[in-house]
Amino acid sequence: MITMPETTVPTTPRGSRLPSWGRGVLWTALAVVMLTVTADLTGLPSITASSTVQAGVQLAVPILLAGLGGLWAERAGVVNIGLEGMMILGTWGAAWAGYHWGPVAAVIGGAVLGALGGLLHAVATVSFGVNHIVSGVAINLLGAGVAKYLSTLIFFPVSHNPRQSPRVEPFDTYSAQPLAGWLADLEQQQRYVLSDVAGVLRGLVSGVSPLTMLTVVLLVASYLLLWHTRFGLRLRSCGENPVAAESLGVNVYRQKYLAVIVSGALAGLGGAAMVLAPGQNGYLENQTNGRGYIGLAAMIFGNWRPGGLLGGAALFGYSDGLQTLTNGKTVLGLFYGVALFCWVIMLVQLFRKRWIMAGVAGVSGLVLYGIYLAVDDLPTELTAYLPHIVTIVVLAASAQRLRMPAADGLIYRRGQGS
């Protein structure tokens, strides 16, 4: 008998690579270090001020919820461009329910109206095979039109303004005491680096809304449900290969319907978060201002993973909070920090012997640093669109490493593999 020689399969030594959560923690720590170094070297303490970080967290919540909704839909193979329209429906539903019964009802109302938008998108794309992009654009137009009509019909007799609702009572906010008080004292002492770190941490644990806590719970629950349960495996298989999933007994239509309805409910919750945000306290026409699209961009930046989505939402929320609370000079100071971050990426790519990526990162850092040196202040007209500019730049920079679900956006008909 002839025996074949044994072949040795090379394996990666255990512990030679960080797990995904470890890499996330490492990059988060690096981002905090970059912010503190930028604040100290530019003399702009507002970059790491607790008020800036707190505003960034509040503004990141709607983006994170919208992105999480997109994650559910696209992992099941349905592209959800209609997140913006579902968010708009959620803002109206939250304002109507919140005006009558309080903030808890506002959360429920926003989720229900958003889920209805998701159901409509599922009927169009799953049952009737409408192109996902076309259906999503239609949902966006329909959501804006329905919200405007209902606002004129119901809110105008009460608020005497067809573009906004009466005031909605927000949630109380909470701080982690005594930690928040101790961090406040350390931030006010203006110690080198320590006060900057204290400002960032204080912004994360102060003035936290119950809806922010719910968002964190939903993010973790979505990760566990989609990646660590049989239900999640079946749902994700519908986004990778629905024909193979059907051959194994998975009801593909049911999985897609459920995912898109949950997607709409999460986007509606994002709308409710805007209604209940400090300084808003009600529905306002054009309130979302494209945050549904930014949530979709955060999901793509995160490579269709919850951890990456969290990083993208934090980036966009922080940039939005920075331009809201500070002036153009402070935003310009962030160019310095991004330049430093680009040079760190350049060193990492050089270590990995990726010469082209290292060169791109190095040149990008030089360009940003040159802008920082050459410009004294940024006009308000430009800083107002900082989140949208960041969205475009981040997507362009991360496009090479993205991997969407294989069957995402494809029209599927039951029994097509037989």
Side-chain angles (χ1 to χ4, degrees):
M1 182 177 62
I2 300 175
T3 59
M4 298 296 295
E6 294 184 1
T7 58
T8 302
V9 179
T11 58
T12 303
R14 181 176 297 180
S16 62
R17 184 171 180 176
L18 284 174
S20 58
W21 64 266
R23 293 195 297 272
V25 171
L26 182 61
W27 280 108
T28 301
L30 181 60
V32 173
V33 170
M34 290 293 102
L35 287 177
T36 57
V37 171
T38 301
D40 287 325
L41 294 181
T42 59
L44 298 170
S46 55
I47 290 178
T48 56
S50 57
S51 57
T52 303
V53 176
Q54 186 175 341
V57 171
Q58 293 169 353
L59 292 167
V61 167
I63 297 173
L64 180 58
L65 286 168
L68 193 59
L71 177 71
W72 271 80
E74 300 211 8
R75 277 296 176 178
V78 179
V79 174
N80 194 355
I81 297 293
L83 290 170
E84 178 76 7
M86 297 170 196
M87 282 190 79
I88 294 173
L89 290 173
T91 58
W92 189 91
W96 178 78
Y99 170 67
H100 289 287
W101 301 293
V104 175
V107 171
I108 298 173
V112 170
L113 264 290
L116 289 176
L119 176 62
L120 184 60
H121 187 49
V123 170
T125 56
V126 180
S127 295
F128 291 98
V130 176
N131 181 277
H132 297 191
I133 305 298
V134 173
S135 176
V137 172
I139 294 293
N140 290 334
L141 297 174
L142 182 65
V146 167
K148 185 172 184 177
Y149 171 75
L150 292 176
S151 178
T152 304
L153 181 67
I154 296 176
F155 291 151
F156 179 69
V158 182
S159 64
H160 305 292
N161 187 341
R163 301 185 61 187
Q164 69 180 49
S165 70
R167 185 179 185 276
V168 177
E169 191 67 28
F171 282 112
D172 293 330
T173 57
Y174 304 90
S175 299
Q177 297 294 358
L179 177 61
W182 178 74
L183 290 172
D185 293 337
L186 186 56
E187 182 183 8
Q188 293 171 0
Q189 293 174 11
Q190 295 298 313
R191 294 186 180 180
Y192 182 72
V193 177
L194 290 178
S195 293
D196 295 316
V197 175
V200 173
L201 296 178
R202 184 191 173 200
L204 296 176
V205 300
S206 301
V208 179
S209 166
L211 191 53
T212 303
M213 303 176 195
L214 177 62
T215 302
V216 175
V217 171
L218 289 173
L219 180 71
V220 175
S222 295
Y223 168 71
L224 295 176
L225 193 61
L226 293 178
W227 271 269
H228 293 279
T229 65
R230 296 174 64 183
F231 163 78
L233 178 61
R234 291 170 179 170
L235 187 144
R236 289 186 292 116
S237 69
C238 297
E240 297 292 344
N241 193 331
V243 174
E246 184 184 40
S247 69
L248 295 175
V250 176
N251 189 329
V252 177
Y253 275 25
R254 182 173 63 190
Q255 297 289 339
K256 287 179 178 287
Y257 259 89
L258 180 60
V260 179
I261 292 172
V262 172
S263 174
L266 289 168
L269 278 177
M274 301 197 68
V275 169
L276 298 172
Q280 296 287 331
N281 300 337
Y283 164 84
L284 184 65
E285 191 175 323
N286 297 324
Q287 189 172 26
T288 57
N289 193 27
R291 282 178 175 81
Y293 299 112
I294 296 178
L296 189 66
M299 179 209 65
I300 296 173
F301 166 76
N303 208 9
W304 289 264
R305 300 279 298 190
L309 165 62
L310 177 61
L315 173 63
F316 300 136
Y318 175 78
S319 62
D320 201 358
L322 190 68
Q323 65 87 18
T324 301
L325 296 182
T326 60
N327 52 31
K329 187 173 182 179
T330 303
V331 174
L332 184 63
L334 196 61
F335 279 56
Y336 185 91
V338 177
L340 292 178
F341 200 73
C342 287
W343 291 331
V344 171
I345 293 176
M346 179 189 70
L347 294 176
V348 172
Q349 298 302 331
L350 286 174
F351 178 76
R352 294 178 177 178
K353 298 181 179 181
R354 297 176 179 175
W355 313 117
I356 296 178
M357 293 297 296
V360 170
V363 171
S364 300
L366 287 174
V367 171
L368 291 172
Y369 186 67
I371 294 174
Y372 170 75
L373 292 178
V375 179
D376 294 330
D377 197 359
L378 290 176
T380 307
E381 293 80 7
L382 181 62
T383 57
Y385 289 96
L386 181 62
H388 305 82
I389 296 172
V390 170
T391 301
I392 296 172
V393 172
V394 166
L395 287 181
S398 60
Q400 299 299 320
R401 65 176 184 84
L402 301 179
R403 188 267 180 195
M404 65 189 297
D408 194 16
L410 300 182
I411 305 299
Y412 170 77
R413 313 311 298 158
R414 182 180 283 125
Q416 70 181 38
S418 60

